[in-house]
Amino acid sequence: MVITTYAKVIWEDFVSLVFPRVCLNCKEVLLKNEEYVCTNCRVGLPVTNYHLDPLNPIFQKFVSVPKVNFASTFLHFHKAGIAQHLLHALKYGGNFEIGEKLGEWFGEHVRDSIGTYDLIIPVPIHKNKIRSRGYNQSDAIASGLSRSLDIKTDAGVVSRIRETTTQTKKSKVERWKNVEKIFSVSDPDQLVDKSVIVVDDVITTGATTCSLCLELENAGVGNISVLAVASGK
């Protein structure tokens, strides 16, 4: 057993030497105890702390949904910033694990501000995007949050029944129209009076996430919290 463990360490050191792991943000080589981002970038994450802000601008995006009683994001999203680098690796780089890690970090960050919840629901993407990407990025984030907050997640309770065009460059009104009636709850009975956390990757206007929250409200949920990794303009 000792020989096997030693051989494993030698092999891992060799692989790290030939194919070094680098920070997803600054591209510096990671140390053994560092995951995905180096310590400097981890400490320098642009954390929003919106969950502590009495004027929380993310919560204000959901005032049209009475059942939403809490909303927050983890990071500020800036062009070419660390949040963009990490989410790009998650959505387009096949790096499901960074989504899970972001979810864990976010869960640890808001744990003391979140109440008791029955279920975590990741915002679903259309099946065509699943085919091209291989997974839903919100599933990864929800998985990390689930571990950190000890709340079960269910990615099958809601589906996306209509594929939409990109929200980029659309006006606020156009964004809302683009996401009307795009979600369907598979079994409303299992959500009646349940407290749920809706998880997304990025919130800008909040139109897509709000559309899902309205669908959950119509299904009879008790209350809703919204958590997303990043928020931008």
Side-chain angles (χ1 to χ4, degrees):
M1 179 63 72
V2 173
I3 294 176
T4 301
T5 302
Y6 181 71
K8 182 179 179 181
V9 170
I10 294 295
W11 173 251
E12 289 176 348
D13 287 345
F14 172 75
V15 171
S16 296
L17 181 64
V18 179
F19 305 104
R21 299 176 306 119
V22 297
C23 174
L24 291 174
N25 182 54
C26 70
K27 308 307 178 185
E28 290 290 325
V29 175
L30 295 176
L31 301 177
K32 274 191 175 183
N33 62 331
E34 295 175 332
E35 294 183 284
Y36 308 110
V37 294
C38 66
T39 300
N40 285 338
C41 290
R42 174 76 172 90
V43 171
L45 286 174
V47 175
T48 68
N49 282 321
Y50 283 149
H51 63 296
L52 304 176
D53 186 352
L55 302 176
N56 183 342
I58 298 302
F59 181 70
Q60 299 305 315
K61 295 178 184 294
F62 297 92
V63 294
S64 62
V65 189
K67 292 291 180 71
V68 173
N69 58 17
F70 182 88
S72 187
T73 57
F74 184 32
L75 306 175
H76 291 289
F77 186 99
H78 301 293
K79 188 174 181 180
I82 185 169
Q84 184 180 41
H85 292 153
L86 296 179
L87 288 170
H88 190 277
L90 168 62
K91 294 178 70 172
Y92 308 112
N95 199 330
F96 189 91
E97 291 79 11
I98 186 58
E100 293 181 310
K101 184 55 65 175
L102 285 166
E104 285 185 25
W105 290 342
F106 192 14
E108 292 164 4
H109 191 65
V110 298
R111 184 183 291 132
D112 293 338
S113 300
I114 280 235
T116 302
Y117 286 84
D118 300 301
L119 189 65
I120 295 175
I121 300 175
V123 174
I125 60 176
H126 194 267
K127 59 184 179 182
N128 290 340
K129 283 191 177 179
I130 291 286
R131 290 195 196 103
S132 62
R133 190 172 298 163
Y135 56 83
N136 176 6
Q137 67 275 5
S138 294
D139 288 353
I141 299 163
S143 177
L145 278 165
S146 177
R147 285 202 295 263
S148 185
L149 300 175
D150 194 25
I151 303 170
K152 65 180 180 179
T153 182
D154 189 339
V157 70
V158 180
S159 60
R160 189 155 181 162
I161 56 176
R162 180 166 61 84
E163 191 169 19
T164 56
T165 55
T166 179
Q167 296 281 69
T168 306
K169 296 184 179 180
K170 282 185 170 61
S171 69
K172 187 173 181 178
V173 172
E174 289 171 334
R175 289 185 179 209
W176 278 93
K177 288 183 177 180
N178 192 42
V179 296
E180 285 181 337
K181 303 295 183 183
I182 64 172
F183 299 108
S184 176
V185 176
S186 59
D187 185 4
D189 289 343
Q190 68 174 306
L191 293 178
V192 174
D193 295 330
K194 291 291 173 50
S195 297
V196 302
I197 298 175
V198 170
V199 175
D200 208 350
D201 56 347
V202 181
I203 288 178
T204 49
T205 64
T208 301
T209 316
C210 198
S211 179
L212 175 55
C213 290
L214 286 168
E215 201 65 40
L216 293 171
E217 184 172 84
N218 291 336
V221 298
N223 58 77
I224 304 168
S225 279
V226 177
L227 298 177
V229 165
S231 54
K233 297 180 180 179

